[in-house]
Amino acid sequence: MRRPTSLAILALSAAVALPLAPASSAWARSAGASKALQAIDTDNDGTIDLKEAQSAGEATFDKLEKDKDGTLTTKELQGRVSRKDLNAADGDHDGTLDKKEYGALVEQRFKAADPDGDGTLDAKELKKPAGRSLMQLLK
């Protein structure tokens, strides 16, 4: 009887593993959304409301604002906001976001992530593109 070659074993391994990749990726996204939800959900009701999102946004602003000048530059934002979104949120047009502007952006993204308008976001809503966009501002 002929022994299987390494190439055949590799092909068989790939054939078995590939169908599992999307599921494990979806599981990782789901686990990430649940973990993020738990970190921000201070009243432990399984959802994030606007007050919780704003509180998390303020904490993130404070963490990112290294030079303590009251604003976030594109460098301090670390890719959380595109140039286009920065310009739209920058009410005083100084090229930075102050805490009020950052908070307004958090609120805008929260509302975009809440398509049913119930005032709360669950893990399912946080997994969608608008929810992930909000979470970029909160972590």
Side-chain angles (χ1 to χ4, degrees), residues 4-109:
T5 65
S6 322
L7 187 57
I9 293 171
L10 182 62
L12 181 59
S13 298
V16 170
L18 282 177
L20 299 176
S24 62
S25 177
W27 180 84
R29 283 193 305 273
S30 175
S34 293
K35 187 176 180 180
L37 177 87
Q38 290 172 356
I40 298 168
D41 179 20
T42 56
D43 62 6
N44 298 312
D45 68 351
T47 65
I48 297 173
D49 60 33
L50 181 57
K51 183 178 176 185
E52 291 168 325
Q54 289 171 328
S55 179
E58 288 176 12
T60 300
F61 182 95
D62 292 341
K63 179 180 77 172
L64 295 174
E65 206 244 322
K66 303 286 187 203
D67 60 10
K68 305 302 177 198
D69 68 350
T71 63
L72 294 176
T73 63
T74 55
K75 184 177 178 181
E76 289 171 315
L77 285 164
Q78 302 172 356
R80 285 173 168 79
V81 179
S82 70
R83 173 63 68 183
K84 180 182 173 186
D85 288 344
L86 173 69
N87 290 337
D90 182 16
D92 59 7
H93 308 291
D94 66 351
T96 66
L97 296 180
D98 61 28
K99 195 176 258 189
K100 184 178 178 183
E101 292 166 334
Y102 193 83
L105 185 56
V106 166
E107 183 173 354
Q108 176 189 12
R109 288 190 180 180

